[in-house]
């Protein structure tokens, strides 16, 4: 509704009110000129002698027309107001990254990346999937190349990659929690990102455990030095971030020291990629039934089934040709890694919903943030470490 139309409606209502008032004044003047009195009646309702009995004034044509104009103006104003309210509703936000195993429906409950969490300018969407696919493929190839070079060519490169990914992931989550009004000291997070991977390389599980406890104590001391206000929420956030990112990611370096460690890590990473790839393809094509609508509406049961089938096929082949183990061990490993990867996706979705954001950042073109790519891997690596040891033991026993 334009301003001119609104002004015209207000003028019409004002004219209608003036006409109604003029009609009432004319009726009052006519009554005064007749010299009549108000009808008087006794307790029985009979008229007094000499009293003039007045008939109620009939509704004039102008008065009826004015009432009709006023009613029409109110109805039109109400309709226009409702239309403006519908037009003013914001469109569902979009993101640089997309959840895999999706139904393809827009997720209006997730908010866009807040301006203070953006790095540079957001890139435009360049595909039906809602992300820049060429940039996403390029970034994925670079990350995969660094990991493979660290696995098979220069082991310190893999250690450096784990430390860097842990530090950047902690930085992203700490910024997001600060945006949600829970400030977290970042120095203990960076210390944990360095100390935990190094402990896993130089020591073993016990060294990793001791380093984890030490980092938690350092985080507690750092927060207490800043005061007690909000200390509980801040300390719990620090413990959560250290446990979620540096600790879980360090299990990859524990596997590296075992027999066929490079090939085992490569197999687990391949299963995580297969989970995302097959889940995305099947979910986009036939996904109709969301797994958890309140957590991640874009993940479907059909996509989860595609992830499971594709990962099992890849796992069976990898175990036979890479690790010289029975094919059924690959199927079992793929079963648990697919469940762990999906759980990791849901876990990060819950964290982002709690923080009110869609992506942790826009650091990686076409992907979002580092944590938006590590969400499933973080849960897959420690579970793969445990399952691989159990499978090796079961094969040795059988």
């Amino acid at each position: 509704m334009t301003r001119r139309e609104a002004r015209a409606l207000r003028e019409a209502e004002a004219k209608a009110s003036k006409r109604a008032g003029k009609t009432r004044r004319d009726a009052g003047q006519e009554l005064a000129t007749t010299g009549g009195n108000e009808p008087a009646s006794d307790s029985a309702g009979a008229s007094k002698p000499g009293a003039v009995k007045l008939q109620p004034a009939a509704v004039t044509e102008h008065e009826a027309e004015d009432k009709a104009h006023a009613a029409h103006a109110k109805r039109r104003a109400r309709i226009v107001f409702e239309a403006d309210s519908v037009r003013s509703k914001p469109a569902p936000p979009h993101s640089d990254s997309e959840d895999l195993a999706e139904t393809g429906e827009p997720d209006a409950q997730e908010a866009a990346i807040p301006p203070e969490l953006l790095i540079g300018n957001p890139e435009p969407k360049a595909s039906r999937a809602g992300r820049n696919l060429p940039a996403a493929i390029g970034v994925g190839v670079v990350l995969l190349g660094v990991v493979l070079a660290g696995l098979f060519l220069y082991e310190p490169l893999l250690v450096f990659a784990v430390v860097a990914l842990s530090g950047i992931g902690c930085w992203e989550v700490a910024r997001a929690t600060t945006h949600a009004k829970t400030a977290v000291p970042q120095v203990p997070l960076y210390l944990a990102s360095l100390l935990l991977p190094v402990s896993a390389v130089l020591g073993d599980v016990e060294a990793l455990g001791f380093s984890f406890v030490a980092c938690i104590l350092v985080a507690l001391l750092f927060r207490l030095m800043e005061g007690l206000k909000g200390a509980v929420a801040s300390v719990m956030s620090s413990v959560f971030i250290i446990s979620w990112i540096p600790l879980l990611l360090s299990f990859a370096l524990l596997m590296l020291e075992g027999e066929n460690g490079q090939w085992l890590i490569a197999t687990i990473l391949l299963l995580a990629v297969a989970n995302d790839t097959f889940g995305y393809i099947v979910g986009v094509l036939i996904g109709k039934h969301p797994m958890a609508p309140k957590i991640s509406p874009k993940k479907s049961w059909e996509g989860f089934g595609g992830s499971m089938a594709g990962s099992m096929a890849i796992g069976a082949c990898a175990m036979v040709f890479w690790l010289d183990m029975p094919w059924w061990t690959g199927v079992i490993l793929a079963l648990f890694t697919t469940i762990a990867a999906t759980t990791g996706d849901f876990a990060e979705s819950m964290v982002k919903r709690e923080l009110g954001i869609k992506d942790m950042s826009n650091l990686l073109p076409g992907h979002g943030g580092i944590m938006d790519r590590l969400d499933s891997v973080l849960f897959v690596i420690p579970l793969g470490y445990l399952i691989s040891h159990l499978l090796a033991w079961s094969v040795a026993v059988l």
Side-chain angles (χ1 to χ4, degrees):
M1 182 177 182
T2 62
R3 294 182 178 179
R4 184 175 300 175
E5 292 177 346
R7 188 183 302 111
L9 285 175
R10 288 195 296 270
E11 292 177 355
E13 292 179 355
K15 290 181 180 179
S17 299
K18 289 181 180 179
R19 289 182 180 177
K22 184 178 179 181
T23 303
R24 287 193 295 269
R25 288 194 301 272
D26 292 343
Q29 292 176 0
E30 182 179 357
L31 179 62
T33 55
T34 57
N37 299 320
E38 292 184 358
S41 59
D42 54 12
S43 59
S47 300
K48 293 183 180 180
V52 179
K53 187 176 182 180
L54 298 178
Q55 297 294 333
V59 179
T60 64
E61 182 179 355
H62 288 293
E63 189 175 3
E65 184 180 354
D66 292 338
K67 290 182 179 180
H69 279 297
H72 175 71
K74 289 182 180 179
R75 287 195 301 270
R76 184 174 178 183
R78 183 173 62 254
I79 293 173
V80 172
F81 175 77
E82 293 175 355
D84 289 342
S85 300
V86 172
R87 286 196 299 267
S88 62
K89 289 183 179 179
H94 298 279
S95 169
D96 286 340
S97 70
E98 286 290 329
D99 288 335
L100 303 180
E102 62 184 358
T103 60
E105 297 296 329
D107 182 8
Q109 298 180 7
E110 293 178 343
I113 303 177
E116 57 269 25
L117 299 184
L118 286 174
I119 302 174
N121 296 323
E123 57 181 324
K125 316 298 184 298
S127 71
R128 179 176 174 268
R131 57 176 172 169
N132 190 333
L133 286 181
I137 294 173
V139 171
V141 170
V142 171
L143 293 176
L144 181 61
V146 172
V147 172
L148 293 179
L151 283 175
F152 299 105
L153 298 178
Y154 189 61
E155 183 176 317
L157 180 60
L158 180 63
V159 178
F160 174 78
V162 171
V163 172
L165 292 175
S166 298
I168 298 174
C170 290
W171 171 72
E172 287 183 346
V173 180
R175 290 170 66 228
T177 57
T178 302
H179 168 73
K181 311 303 181 184
T182 302
V184 177
Q186 298 190 18
V187 173
L189 304 182
Y190 301 144
L191 177 63
S193 300
L194 176 63
L195 184 59
L196 295 184
V198 172
S199 300
V201 172
L202 301 180
D204 50 14
V205 178
E206 289 81 5
L208 181 61
F210 281 116
S211 300
F212 171 72
V213 174
C215 292
I216 296 300
L217 293 177
V218 171
L220 176 62
L221 293 176
F222 260 79
R223 185 58 186 86
L224 290 178
M225 288 188 297
E226 297 180 3
L228 296 178
K229 184 177 181 181
V232 175
S234 180
V235 170
M236 294 303 295
S237 298
S238 298
V239 173
F240 170 72
I241 295 173
I242 294 174
S243 305
W244 185 23
I245 306 173
L247 178 62
L248 298 184
L249 205 55
S250 297
F251 277 89
L253 300 177
L254 288 178
M255 286 189 290
L256 187 63
E257 302 302 321
E259 184 180 359
N260 293 326
Q262 294 91 340
W263 290 106
L264 180 60
I265 295 176
T267 300
I268 291 176
L269 293 179
L270 183 61
L271 290 177
V273 173
N275 170 77
D276 288 346
T277 303
F278 287 102
Y280 178 80
I281 294 174
V282 176
V284 168
L285 293 179
I286 61 174
K288 297 296 182 184
H289 302 87
M291 296 181 64
K294 293 184 178 180
I295 300 176
S296 185
K298 295 180 180 180
K299 295 188 183 301
S300 64
W301 284 106
E302 292 83 359
F304 178 73
S307 298
M308 186 69 71
S311 298
M312 286 182 174
I314 297 295
C317 295
M319 283 295 187
V320 171
F321 295 105
W322 287 358
L323 299 174
D324 194 23
M325 295 182 69
W327 64 269
W328 55 267
T329 59
V331 173
I332 295 176
L333 182 62
L335 171 67
F336 286 100
T337 54
T338 300
I339 296 175
T342 305
T343 304
D345 289 338
F346 282 139
E348 200 204 13
S349 296
M350 292 175 63
V351 171
K352 290 189 292 187
R353 284 182 178 276
E354 186 68 23
L355 299 177
I357 59 176
K358 170 68 177 180
D359 290 332
M360 288 296 182
S361 73
N362 61 332
L363 185 63
L364 300 180
H367 289 272
I370 289 291
M371 289 303 299
D372 297 304
R373 294 302 93 201
L374 291 181
D375 49 3
S376 59
V377 176
L378 290 174
F379 278 58
V380 166
I381 287 177
L383 184 62
Y385 172 80
L386 176 62
I387 297 299
S388 62
H389 279 69
L390 292 177
L391 290 176
W393 173 79
S394 63
V395 171
V397 171
L398 295 176

